[in-house]
Amino acid sequence: QVQLVESGGGLVQAGGSLRLSCAASGRIFRFNAMGWYRQAPGKQRELVAAITRDGNTHYAESVKGRFTISRDNAKNTVYLQMNSLKPEDTGVYYCASDPVIMSMLRGTPGYWGQGTQVTVSS
């Protein structure tokens, strides 16, 4: 069992930066792929970034060059550094985990966090 708790969301002006953290509890964190999804009101949830157990990363085209996902297995934590934020980045950001990276990429991870709100003002 894996439990995920996000933090670091908030209000920021366009062009600013924010760093999200996801603290994981469980026995298999080191062996799982981790990811960040986001959902805006009235929109479908979408994968923003993912990282494998080996540190290979995947990004949505809309955030490439602006967002960076990383993990610290010693701290059981995954991060999402968000730079050059835009109003369209606004939404609830969810941390996710799954043993198989394909499950993450297809949108069906086995574990979800509760979400943290990110609001980018113009």
Side-chain angles (χ1 to χ4, degrees), residues 4 6-7 9 20-22 33-40 43-51 58-60 62-63 67 69 78-80 82 88-118:
L4 308 171
E6 303 96 332
S7 62
L20 305 182
S21 298
C22 174
M34 303 294 296
W36 289 94
Y37 289 78
R38 69 184 178 190
Q39 186 170 29
K43 303 293 183 179
Q44 287 190 304
R45 187 174 298 184
E46 63 175 345
L47 179 66
V48 175
I51 184 168
H58 306 261
Y59 296 97
S62 61
V63 307
F67 291 11
I69 188 171
V78 63
Y79 306 95
L80 184 67
M82 305 184 292
E88 48 262 48
D89 293 318
T90 294
V92 178
Y93 283 68
Y94 298 89
C95 181
S97 179
D98 196 278
V100 183
I101 185 62
M102 284 183 59
S103 297
M104 188 70 64
L105 298 178
R106 70 189 296 180
T108 57
Y111 305 96
W112 292 94
Q114 85 287 351
T116 185
Q117 177 71 41
V118 171

Side-chain angles (χ1 to χ4, degrees), residues 49-52 54-59 64 68-71 101 105:
I51 184 168
T52 70
D54 299 317
N56 295 319
T57 57
H58 306 261
Y59 296 97
K64 284 184 178 178
T68 302
I69 188 171
S70 62
R71 65 191 297 163
I101 185 62
L105 298 178

